[in-house]
């Protein structure tokens, strides 16, 4: 009898042990899912929306390990972000539950003091391997974070494009003597950046990371030839995937070869939550990236929070300010393709005219990257104007030479036919881009204009109905971002005489033009059929 009991105990213990082994295996076999967003630009209710993202994350978490990361440009781009200076977006991101985030170039648009304040408010914090103090060369933020999930270590490294020094407001990164006090590891044809990223990949692996992911505000097409995600992959080794942003592309798991010939997955979700990136890491080590373009159910708690944040500013936002008799386009009305960064468009003409006529100058220039939204025909509100001009730039007037204006137009046309935020919409002038001539614009390692080393692409510049004179001085209107702060690398105006120093906001310029110069938006029909085109390409 004792032997039978003893055998029963052995069998029982074996069964219990087997149970724990099996249940442990089941737990360990859970998929690890990494959800990814980029370039939200305050679009908390656009497309999929943050409430649906939160619900999707919660549902997946029931049977999987889920992490949520963001690749930058979340807090700027729409009225809710501008009026709260980013705080409302941070509140919503905290409620959704992000695990890792990097600053994009537009996270800095409210100034450095505000940026560092918001960085403290974001519960998961910002990470960046290449945002350094220029004097000490120490990281401003922790460069990477390692998550241990059931014994599997995953490292996430943050990277922000070095283009930030010129695509955000350059003076924010400078001291009182105009010397840059921050660096993004720019220069030497990308080699400094590649070395910095590789150093952090190696450090993460030394700490036991089995998988290393780059969360980067970098971009692929139409971005810097040295700082884009493809070049970083090609010049490093050890990355498993790159969660990209900045160029507003939808990339559903593109595979690129790294320095050693190994595959690296790249994903990007477009902008304003057009999609959610989803990388699934299986228990066998295989990975799959896909774009989720539809989530039917919204999280009610996040819905209520968004409504609460919006309610604070709703009366101001809904105030009517004008009437458009014709629509004004930033994007092609048929294809939806963005026009303002590579060709003349009706909204570009309108905004440039507003600058010139309200500030009473010979001519005006407006960078295409600063104009963000169409305006439909009919009554429009303050909210609509803020969607068109979300940056809060100040308008100003300088005395510029013809040479300075020509250089600015040439820098703006550098990337043509690709898009560029530096592409200039104009008023009081016209010009031609000769696309058969390759750009010979020379820039410094930070992307600032130095000069033109060959023939100009920009020709036939007409101002005030006459041919541009290089030595003549003209009154020129534009944003302080371009004319004073050197945004987009426009350093040619650095020593120009200031005639009106940033006394009116560009949204007020827009409204002033509508209410006191036009009374309605007229005479801005399809620019493709305009007999007096301002920008011609040949």
């Amino acid at each position: 009898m004792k032997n039978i009991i003893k055998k029963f105990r052995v069998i029982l213990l074996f069964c219990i042990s087997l149970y724990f082994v099996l249940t442990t295996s089941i737990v360990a076999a859970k998929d690890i899912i990494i959800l990814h967003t980029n370039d939200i630009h305050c679009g908390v209710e656009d497309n999929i929306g943050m409430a649906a993202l939160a619900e999707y994350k919660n549902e997946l978490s029931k049977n999987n390990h889920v992490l949520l990361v963001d690749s930058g440009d979340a807090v700027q781009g729409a009225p809710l972000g501008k009026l709260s200076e980013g705080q409302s977006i941070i509140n919503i991101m905290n409620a959704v539950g992000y695990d890792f985030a990097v600053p994009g170039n537009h996270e800095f648009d409210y100034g450095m003091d505000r940026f560092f304040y918001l960085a403290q408010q974001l519960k998961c914090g910002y990470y960046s391997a290449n945002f350094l103090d220029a004097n000490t060369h120490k990281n401003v933020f922790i460069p990477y974070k390692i998550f241990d999930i059931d014994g599997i270590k995953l490292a996430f490294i943050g990277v922000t494009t070095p283009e930030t020094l010129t695509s955000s407001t350059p003076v924010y990164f400078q001291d009182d003597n105009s010397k840059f006090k921050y660096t993004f590891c720019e220069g030497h044809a990308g080699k400094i950046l590649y070395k910095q990223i590789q150093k952090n990949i190696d450090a993460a692996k030394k700490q036991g990371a089995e998988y290393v992911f780059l969360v980067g505000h970098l971009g692929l097409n139409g971005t810097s030839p040295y700082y884009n995600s493809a070049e970083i992959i090609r010049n490093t080794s050890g990355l498993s995937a790159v969660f990209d942003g900045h160029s507003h592309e939808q990339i559903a798991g593109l595979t690129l070869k790294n320095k050693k010939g190994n595959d690296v997955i790249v994903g990007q979700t477009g902008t304003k939550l057009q999609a959610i990136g989803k990388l699934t890491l299986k228990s066998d080590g295989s990975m799959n990236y896909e774009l989720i373009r539809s989530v039917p159910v919204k999280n009610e708690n996040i819905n209520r929070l968004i409504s609460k944040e919006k309610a604070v500013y709703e009366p101001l936002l809904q105030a009517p300010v004008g009437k458009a008799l014709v629509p004004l386009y930033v994007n092609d009305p048929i294809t939806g393709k963005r026009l303002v960064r590579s060709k003349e468009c009706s909204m570009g003409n309108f905004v440039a005219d507003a600058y010139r006529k309200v500030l009473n100058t010979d001519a005006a220039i407006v960078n295409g990257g600063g104009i963000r939204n169409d305006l439909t025909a009919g009554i429009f509100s303050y909210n609509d104007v803020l969607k068109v001009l979300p940056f809060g730039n100040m308008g100003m007037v300088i005395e510029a030479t013809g040479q300075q204006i020509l250089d600015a137009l040439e820098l703006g046309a550098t990337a043509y036919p690709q898009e560029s935020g530096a592409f200039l919409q104009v008023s009081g002038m016209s010009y031609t881009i000769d696309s058969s001539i390759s750009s010979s614009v020379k820039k410094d390692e930070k992307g600032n204009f130095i000069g033109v080393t060959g023939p100009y692409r920009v020709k036939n510049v007409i101002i005030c109905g006459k041919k541009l004179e290089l030595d003549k001085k003209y009154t020129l209107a534009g944003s302080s971002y371009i004319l004073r702060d050197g945004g987009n690398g426009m350093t040619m105006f650095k020593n120009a005489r200031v005639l009106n120093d940033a006394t009116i906001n560009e949204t007020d310029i827009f409204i002033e033009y509508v209410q006191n110069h036009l009374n309605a938006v007229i005479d801005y029909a399809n620019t493709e059929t305009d007999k007096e085109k301002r920008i011609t390409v040949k």
Side-chain angles (χ1 to χ4, degrees), residues 34-41 50 53 67-75 93 98-104 107 122 124-127 156 158-159 215-217 243-245 269 273:
I34 303 164
L35 298 180
H36 162 230
T37 59
N38 61 269
D39 298 279
I40 293 172
H41 284 297
M50 293 290 265
L53 168 63
L67 295 172
L68 176 59
V69 305
D70 182 73
S71 294
D73 278 8
V75 304
M93 291 179 72
Y98 276 82
D99 298 288
F100 188 93
V102 303
E107 256 68 50
L122 183 63
C124 71
Y126 285 127
Y127 294 81
F156 292 81
V159 177
V215 183
H217 195 76
F243 302 106
D244 201 8
T269 69
L273 292 166

Side-chain angles (χ1 to χ4, degrees), residues 105 130 159-168 173 180 183-187 190 192-194 197 217-218 224 226-228 232 246 445-447:
N105 54 304
N130 69 312
V159 177
T160 303
T161 176
E163 290 181 339
T164 299
L165 289 175
T166 52
S167 60
S168 188
F173 305 100
F180 279 91
T183 174
F184 288 89
C185 298
E186 65 281 353
I192 298 174
L193 180 63
Y194 310 149
I197 293 171
H217 195 76
L218 298 164
S224 166
Y226 303 124
Y227 306 139
N228 64 51
I232 286 172
H246 188 44
E445 61 184 16
K446 300 183 188 303

Side-chain angles (χ1 to χ4, degrees), residues 30 85 129 157 170 179 271 288 331 357 402 407 421 488 516 535:
K30 276 187 176 182
E85 292 190 298
I157 299 174
K179 182 181 178 181
T271 183
N288 175 61
N331 307 303
K357 293 184 179 181
D407 286 341
N488 291 140
N516 296 323
I535 305 172

Side-chain angles (χ1 to χ4, degrees), residues 289-469:
Y289 186 97
E290 59 185 314
L291 291 178
I292 306 301
R293 293 187 169 88
S294 177
V295 178
V297 183
K298 297 181 178 182
N299 184 283
E300 287 305 314
N301 290 331
I302 302 301
N303 255 345
R304 283 191 289 269
L305 175 59
I306 292 172
S307 297
K308 180 181 177 182
E309 296 288 346
K310 287 173 57 183
V312 176
Y313 309 103
E314 202 65 24
L316 173 63
L317 292 173
Q318 296 308 318
V321 297
K323 182 180 181 180
L325 301 184
V326 296
L328 297 175
Y329 293 113
V330 169
N331 307 303
D332 187 301
I334 298 174
T335 66
K337 182 181 179 181
R338 187 162 54 185
L339 302 175
V340 70
R341 296 179 182 226
S342 60
K343 65 189 303 184
E344 180 182 350
C345 64
S346 55
M347 181 61 85
N349 287 346
F350 181 85
V351 174
D353 281 353
Y355 266 98
R356 179 172 67 89
K357 293 184 179 181
V358 172
L359 296 176
N360 191 27
T361 59
D362 294 326
I365 57 174
V366 181
N367 62 306
I371 307 173
R372 291 300 179 111
N373 212 50
D374 298 331
L375 194 66
T376 57
I379 300 294
F380 58 89
S381 66
Y382 183 52
N383 182 63
D384 296 319
V385 177
L386 287 175
K387 288 181 179 179
V388 175
L389 301 169
F391 295 99
N393 290 319
M394 300 298 289
M396 66 181 297
V397 179
I398 64 170
E399 187 177 70
T401 65
Q403 183 65 61
Q404 289 172 319
I405 293 172
L406 178 62
D407 286 341
L409 295 173
E410 184 72 13
L411 178 58
T414 299
Y416 185 86
Q418 292 186 331
E419 290 187 357
S420 170
F423 186 86
L424 292 177
Q425 302 289 327
V426 297
S427 176
M429 73 169 87
S430 61
Y431 67 97
T432 298
I433 300 173
D434 187 343
S435 59
S436 68
I437 298 175
S438 298
S439 174
S440 60
V441 168
K442 185 178 180 181
K443 302 178 186 178
D444 66 17
E445 61 184 16
K446 300 183 188 303
N448 293 309
F449 177 83
I450 294 177
V452 181
T453 60
Y456 280 69
R457 308 184 85 189
V458 170
K459 301 178 180 298
N460 304 325
V461 182
I462 304 296
I463 292 186
C464 301
K466 297 180 179 180
K467 185 178 179 180
L468 178 77
E469 297 179 42

Side-chain angles (χ1 to χ4, degrees), residues 192-256:
I192 298 174
L193 180 63
Y194 310 149
K195 182 178 179 181
Q196 182 72 5
I197 293 171
Q198 188 66 63
K199 181 179 79 173
N200 283 280
I201 294 171
D202 295 342
K205 284 187 170 293
K206 191 174 181 179
Q207 288 183 250
E210 297 178 48
Y211 300 91
V212 180
F213 302 102
L214 190 71
V215 183
H217 195 76
L218 298 164
L220 193 58
N221 295 304
T223 56
S224 166
Y226 303 124
Y227 306 139
N228 64 51
S229 53
E231 284 303 299
I232 286 172
I233 291 169
R234 194 171 69 85
N235 287 279
T236 60
S237 61
L239 292 174
S240 301
V242 174
F243 302 106
D244 201 8
H246 188 44
S247 56
H248 295 197
E249 300 171 84
Q250 292 191 41
I251 303 171
L254 175 69
T255 300
L256 299 175

